[in-house]
């Protein structure tokens, strides 16, 4: 991978444990890091974000090589992994920290995000109105170290085995058939 030409994208699609795990399996993704964006407190902790009072969303910041995986492909994965019609929740995870959000860094990236949103909504994959925010990126705060690669270390934790594991299996089947996954 050519580290000089890497790009980043930051978005939230519910609990970051699943989103991070899936993106780290994709060809062309250099890293996917769980963290927090969109809030008003510097250096928030997981416990603070969980209260909903800091304004942050649980997000994943993805560093990728656009020569291997495109922004549009990353957006396809993003909309595959979560339900963008659920306001401030994903399944039983409820609160503004679980909102669907794409953070953009400039007008060109904003236009790409809005186009990806329209394309996904027009696909009919999810019934209902999309509530995904397209918001100016300000700051990314990495989550605590124990959140990084959480599913890989804790696959038998009850939430992981009941929610994250099945979602990852569905992801691996679909994107594996498309040839988008790294060799295991």
């Amino acid at each position: 991978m050519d580290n000089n030409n890497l790009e980043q994208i930051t978005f939230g699609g519910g609990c970051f444990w699943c989103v991070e795990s899936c993106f780290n399996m994709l060809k062309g993704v250099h890293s996917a890091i769980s963290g927090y964006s969109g809030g008003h407190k510097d250096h928030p902790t997981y416990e603070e974000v969980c209260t909903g009072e800091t304004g942050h969303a649980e997000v994943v910041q993805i560093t990728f090589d656009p020569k291997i995986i495109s922004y549009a492909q990353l957006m396809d994965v993003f909309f595959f992994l979560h339900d963008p019609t659920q306001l401030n929740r994903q399944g039983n995870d409820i609160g503004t920290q679980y909102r669907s959000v794409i953070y953009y860094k400039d007008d060109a990236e904003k236009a790409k995000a809005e186009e990806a949103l329209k394309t996904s909504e027009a696909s009919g994959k999810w019934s209902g109105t999309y509530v995904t925010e397209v918001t100016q990126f300000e700051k990314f705060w990495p989550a605590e170290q124990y959140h990084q690669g959480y599913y890989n270390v804790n696959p038998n934790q009850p939430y992981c085995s009941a929610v994250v594991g099945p979602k990852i299996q569905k992801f691996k089947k679909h994107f594996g058939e498309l040839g988008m996954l790294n060799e295991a």
Side-chain angles (χ1 to χ4, degrees):
M1 206 175 305
D2 182 0
N3 290 346
N4 294 324
N5 294 311
L6 298 179
E7 295 181 15
Q8 284 187 325
I9 183 171
T10 304
F11 45 65
C15 176
F16 48 36
W17 293 343
C18 172
V19 177
E20 176 219 291
S21 294
C22 291
F23 277 97
N24 272 318
M25 293 180 209
L26 292 169
K27 290 179 185 175
V29 170
H30 183 263
S31 66
I33 300 171
S34 293
Y36 316 108
S37 283
H40 53 78
K41 182 182 187 307
D42 289 351
H43 307 284
T45 66
Y46 179 70
E47 290 74 20
E48 291 169 332
V49 171
C50 284
T51 68
E53 294 176 12
T54 68
H56 292 88
E58 286 192 14
V59 299
V60 175
Q61 187 168 76
I62 298 162
T63 303
F64 67 99
D65 185 338
K67 292 179 183 165
I68 299 172
I69 189 166
S70 70
Y71 184 95
Q73 288 173 307
L74 292 170
M75 286 289 99
D76 287 345
V77 173
F78 171 67
F79 287 116
F80 180 89
L81 290 175
H82 81 292
D83 182 345
T85 68
Q86 292 189 342
L87 183 61
N88 297 329
R89 72 178 298 163
Q90 286 298 303
N92 291 329
D93 294 330
I94 300 170
T96 57
Q97 68 271 25
Y98 300 114
R99 66 188 177 271
S100 176
V101 58
I102 303 167
Y103 290 99
Y104 65 88
K105 293 185 177 83
D106 56 34
D107 289 340
E109 197 170 274
K110 180 182 181 183
K112 288 194 290 189
E114 289 171 341
E115 182 61 32
L117 190 85
K118 287 178 193 170
T119 299
S120 182
E121 197 164 19
S123 76
K125 179 183 182 335
W126 299 101
S127 61
T129 303
Y130 277 40
V131 294
T132 303
E133 298 174 13
V134 178
T135 303
Q136 175 73 48
F137 176 84
E138 292 180 15
K139 183 74 178 165
F140 171 78
W141 302 100
E144 295 81 353
Q145 188 57 43
Y146 73 91
H147 288 295
Q148 310 305 329
Y150 189 87
Y151 176 78
N152 293 338
V153 176
N154 302 284
N156 296 320
Q157 187 262 11
Y159 180 85
C160 288
S161 61
V163 177
V164 181
K167 191 179 278 194
I168 289 175
Q169 291 309 313
K170 183 178 169 185
F171 162 84
K172 287 169 76 173
K173 179 177 180 352
H174 180 76
F175 290 97
E177 289 172 358
L178 295 175
M180 292 177 63
L181 302 182
N182 288 314
E183 300 299 322

